[in-house]
Each structure stands twice: as structure tokens, then as C-alpha cells.
Amino acid sequence: MRRAGTAVAAVTALALAGCSADDETPRPAPSVAPSFAPGAEGVGDPYFPLYGNGGYDVGGYDLKLTYAPASGQLDGTATITATATQDLSTFNLDLAHLVAREVTVDGLAATTKAAGNELVVTPSAGIVKGRAFTVVVDYGGKPQALGNETLGVGGWLRTKDGAFALGQPESASTWFPVNDHPSDKATFALSMTVPDGLEVLGNGLPGERASSAGKTTWRWVESTPLASYLAFVVIGQYRVSTSTHDGKPMIIAIPESLPADGDAARSLARTGEVADFLATQFGPYPFDSYGGVVLDDGRVGYALETQSRPVYGNTFFVGRPNATVVAHELAHQWYGDSVALARWQDIWLNEGFATYAEWLWQEHEGDRTVQQSFDRVYSGFNWSVPTGDPGPSRIFGDAVYQRGAMTVHALRRTIGDPAFFALLKSWPAEHRDGNVRTEDFIEAAERAGGKDLGDFFEAWLFGKQKPPLP
Ligand code: TRP
Ligand code: ZN
């Protein structure tokens, strides 16, 4: 009795559109008959066309997972609330290497098909455009990282004492079913059950913790919508310090393998101070918690601006404290996280500003001035890669980070300090929790500067030759 013929499915869909299926009240037929079609298998990002999916918009994820470090097995459920953005017959979720055992849509069993890293979900009835629906995915398996030749490994990695999930531009699909593209921001709640004695770190506010039968369930809730690559989990043996900064919880975790008062711990201890400095430049801190997590793992030669709580590879802190990397990742909380990308091509809006924040922080610390930082990079720079269109394999290259920061500074010299620093604050305020494109920034900069900046941005973002010094 599982199969529903096409005609029956269509009738059910109409019923679901206006009222619950068992409501007998006749309703007028919709003026335009729904034409159900599959959601696209990607959101159509020009650089990564298959990332994410079309046809719906996620409002929130709530994961209830159990991880067994000894076997590497992850099991649980993902509850996803979403809204259809077209009349949907089927839709995709991104899910890599894990198996969906049972999927329901609004409590009714859905059929599924795994196709590579896509989970194709066919609800028992079509979903009308504009309608909210809830998907529950019961799933599990042994998560694996996503290998990317040019961009590095993303996603779930096992460690001696646990595991972590981290990565950009994609990582989320290695541990939960997701619309894996930054254009679909959603709230993110995580319950993670692990053996007693291990810590679990995640995004946002800590919730209730409960233990039974040798296991502890940790809860983390990020209630400001996040881009999926900004969700993370770290499981292992950590010293966790909880304090309050600016009236909000600040949670910092240092691996037990590192000294409690070593360079990593001392660098992250400056998180509140750095965030306060950045707030003087960018405006109010955009989230309801603070913090940071250090990973002592040779595979992690990077840091990532995971929302509200960046994760830092210990390599940044070997032999010296380093607050500059903290300034970089915290700058992303405004530029990248709160104001997120609509497409990966525009990543200079994240990295150019985070690198510029390093320059601002270093000047604030009495180290080299912003102008000196600019001059060092400008002379001898290779201008062949355009910052505004670096190509998918160069989204983490110098054209994005260094030339991006130089573009920011050149803009400052072009529109003057008052307009520039006003823009540094108005941009995060106007686009808080939103998604942006380079065109939006150019428009905002022209408004702030009160002049046409077409030629300026053409040269600094898209030219292949050294732009003249402003
Ligand atoms: N966005 C990170 C930063 O600038 C760097 C980064 C690039 C990264 N690719 C990554 C981090 C992959 C983790 C995984 O801070
Ligand atoms: Zn960065």
C-alpha cells in the first residue's frame, strides 16, 4: 500500500496545500494548478554548479546524533524545516558517504534514492510553492572527508580521541543532510551523544547536558542563521573554559595535549579583547556567543571562521602567541558569517576584509601600520589573477586574500577615511544575516563615497595589471 498513482498524488498535494489531509471542508481550487517538478540538484553557483540544491529554502537544522569513537560510527536523526520555493515533486539533500535509513516529510514516509553525494527525496505528495514542510532523516554510517584536489580536504576527520568536522567551501554534507551552499542560511542545533569523558564543542550557546549509561549528550544551539560550511563539531579531550564577555557566553576549548597556559591558550584568551577592537571598526558583534577551539592535529594547517566560535589549527601558535589569526577569524564573524556570500566567486568580500582586519589589528597593536602592510604586498605582487573572479581553484589564493585587502585599502584612499570607516560599519548593519554579491558592495561603496567607482573596481577587482596607486 505504499504506491500512490499520479492522480492520487496530485489530489493529495492539493489537499496538503490548503488544509490537512483529513479535513473534509471543500476549498476553492487554486487559481493556477500546481505543476510539480523536481528541485534542481544544485543551486547554480557559477563556480560550483552542483553545490546545494534548488526548490526549497531551509529554515533550521536540528541534529540528534550519537558518535562512537571506537568504531567511527555516527548515527541519528536530522530534522530539517524548510519552505518550498517551487511546486516540488522531489528534492535533493546533500549527503556524502552516509546512508539515509528512513525519511519522512511532514510525518509521512518518503521514498529516497542515493545518487553520489545527493539524497533524492520523493515525498508521498507534491509540495506546493510557499509551503513550509519538515523533513526527518534517520541516517548513519562512518563519515568520510571530501577530497578536493585543489581546495584541500573538507569534512569529517577521525582523531585519536574523537573526531571533528570542518571545511570550506564544503564540509557539512559529510555529517548531516544539508542544502550545502552559503546562500541557504539556517539556524543550527546539535545534540551529540558521546562516551563520558569526552568533550563536544559546537556553534552557539551551550544547552542542557545529560548523562546516562556511560554516555553524555551535549547540546549546542546557534539561533542566528548560518551558512552550512560554518557549522562544526569537535569531539575529544579538551579543557573547556566558560566565561562571559559583553553579557554573552564565551567558550574556549584547548586540547588536553597542549599546555593550559601555552601559546594557543594565551592567544585565544585575547578573543574578547580582539572582538571588542573589531566592534569599534565594524559595529556591534553579530552573534549571541563567543569563543574558539584549537585543534592539535597535523592535518589542520588552517583556521576557519566557524560561526560564533572559530576553529584554529595549532600550527598558528607554535613557538609564539598569535592574536593576528584571531583577528582574522573574528573579522569573518561580520565579514563572511553574518554577511555571507551568495556565490563563491565573491569570496574576496570575506577574505579581503579579514586580511584587512589583520592589518588594522597589527597597527592597533603598535606593530606595522596598515599603509606599511599595503606597501609590502603591493610591491612585487603578481596581478594576473583578478580578485573578483579568481576561478574556482584559486578562491583561497593571494589574489583573494592579499589583493582583496589591497583593494579595501585602495578604496579607503579613494573615498577618504570618514566615508570608508562609515562603510565598514554600515555594510554589516545593512546586510546582517543576509547574502551578498560584489555588485552590492560596489553599490554601497559608491553611496558611501558619493561617487562613481566603476573604473576603480574594474582595475582593482578585475584588471590583470598593476592598478595605479590611489
Ligand atoms: N577561510 C579560512 C580562513 O581564511 C581558510 C580556509 C580555506 C580553510 N580553506 C579552508 C579553512 C578549508 C578550513 C578548511 O580563515
Ligand atoms: Zn579567512
Side-chain angles (χ1 to χ4, degrees):
M1 291 298 289
R2 262 180 92 70
R3 195 187 151 276
T6 321
V8 178
V11 169
T12 317
L14 291 180
L16 288 173
C19 53
S20 66
D22 57 357
D23 184 344
E24 307 278 53
T25 319
R27 296 286 165 101
S31 50
V32 178
S35 56
F36 297 100
E41 59 179 346
V43 294
D45 187 295
Y47 277 19
F48 306 105
L50 293 182
Y51 280 17
N53 307 287
Y56 63 94
D57 180 39
V58 177
Y61 298 92
D62 193 344
L63 311 183
K64 296 204 165 48
L65 303 175
T66 298
Y67 184 61
S71 63
Q73 180 76 21
L74 181 72
D75 285 299
T77 60
T79 301
I80 302 166
T81 53
T83 304
T85 55
Q86 67 173 63
D87 294 330
L88 271 179
S89 56
T90 74
F91 58 89
N92 286 22
L93 289 162
D94 302 306
L95 185 65
H97 305 297
L98 301 174
V99 173
R101 291 180 287 248
E102 199 190 323
V103 178
T104 63
V105 175
D106 289 339
L108 300 173
T111 54
T112 62
K113 192 178 65 160
N117 293 345
E118 305 270 338
L119 176 68
V120 183
V121 178
T122 306
S124 61
I127 304 169
V128 172
K129 179 178 179 176
R131 188 163 178 274
F133 61 101
T134 301
V135 188
V136 178
V137 182
D138 180 63
Y139 70 102
K142 293 193 165 84
Q144 322 253 305
L146 295 166
N148 184 315
E149 282 149 34
T150 43
L151 300 175
V153 175
W156 190 276
L157 289 173
R158 283 177 79 175
T159 61
K160 288 191 294 291
D161 53 346
F164 62 84
L166 199 66
Q168 185 187 14
E170 50 168 1
S171 56
S173 65
T174 68
W175 63 294
F176 61 96
V178 55
N179 191 19
D180 207 358
H181 189 271
S183 57
D184 190 0
K185 296 175 116 188
T187 60
F188 187 74
L190 170 67
S191 292
M192 180 67 82
T193 303
V194 296
D196 289 347
L198 294 181
E199 279 71 41
V200 178
L201 287 309
N203 307 86
L205 296 175
E208 297 269 291
R209 202 181 309 164
S211 295
S212 83
K215 290 178 175 175
T216 301
T217 300
W218 297 67
R219 177 86 174 155
W220 294 95
V221 178
E222 177 54 67
S223 47
T224 310
L226 57 65
S228 51
Y229 77 95
L230 298 171
F232 82 100
V233 65
V234 172
I235 301 165
Q237 294 185 303
Y238 286 82
R239 299 174 222 277
V240 180
S241 78
T242 302
S243 56
T244 301
H245 181 74
D246 194 22
K248 300 172 179 181
M250 161 118 78
I251 292 112
I252 290 176
I254 306 292
E256 282 186 11
S257 57
L258 296 176
D261 192 28
D263 290 329
R266 282 161 46 199
S267 302
L268 266 70
R270 300 189 69 185
T271 293
E273 179 196 351
V274 173
D276 289 350
F277 166 70
L278 293 174
T280 68
Q281 310 293 301
F282 301 153
Y285 180 76
F287 303 123
D288 58 9
S289 68
Y290 292 93
V293 179
V294 174
L295 290 176
D296 183 18
D297 189 310
R299 294 169 295 182
V300 185
Y302 50 75
L304 187 61
E305 60 267 26
T306 41
Q307 187 157 312
S308 77
R309 195 156 295 120
V311 176
Y312 305 86
N314 188 51
T315 51
F316 289 102
F317 311 115
V318 174
R320 68 194 201 290
N322 179 355
T324 302
V325 66
V326 176
H328 181 108
E329 304 310 331
L330 291 183
H332 278 308
Q333 304 303 310
W334 288 261
Y335 284 85
D337 294 10
S338 178
V339 183
L341 300 178
R343 50 176 200 205
W344 284 109
Q345 170 181 346
D346 301 324
I347 189 166
W348 80 277
L349 291 171
N350 295 6
E351 302 303 347
F353 285 84
T355 304
Y356 197 68
E358 295 182 38
W359 297 358
L360 290 168
W361 170 255
Q362 286 168 336
E363 181 173 283
H364 173 75
E365 284 277 271
D367 198 346
R368 68 178 74 92
T369 65
V370 171
Q371 187 62 44
Q372 285 168 338
S373 291
F374 175 95
D375 293 343
R376 280 161 59 113
V377 188
Y378 183 80
S379 72
F381 195 79
N382 176 348
W383 301 90
S384 63
V385 179
T387 300
D389 191 7
S393 67
R394 292 202 175 85
I395 58 172
F396 300 119
D398 284 350
V400 169
Y401 284 70
Q402 305 301 332
R403 187 170 162 185
M406 284 193 283
T407 301
V408 174
H409 190 61
L411 174 66
R412 174 176 166 184
R413 306 232 333 190
T414 301
I415 64 176
D417 278 11
F420 173 78
F421 285 104
L423 175 63
L424 278 190
K425 287 184 176 168
S426 62
W427 175 252
E430 281 173 23
H431 294 281
R432 186 170 183 162
D433 299 338
N435 293 90
V436 291
R437 290 179 169 72
T438 294
E439 303 89 273
D440 303 319
F441 185 77
I442 293 175
E443 189 267 321
E446 289 182 333
R447 239 189 307 129
K451 58 173 149 183
D452 184 297
L453 295 166
D455 291 345
F456 169 85
F457 282 113
E458 189 55 35
W460 280 89
L461 291 179
F462 299 104
K464 296 188 175 173
Q465 271 131 42
K466 182 189 268 213
L469 268 182

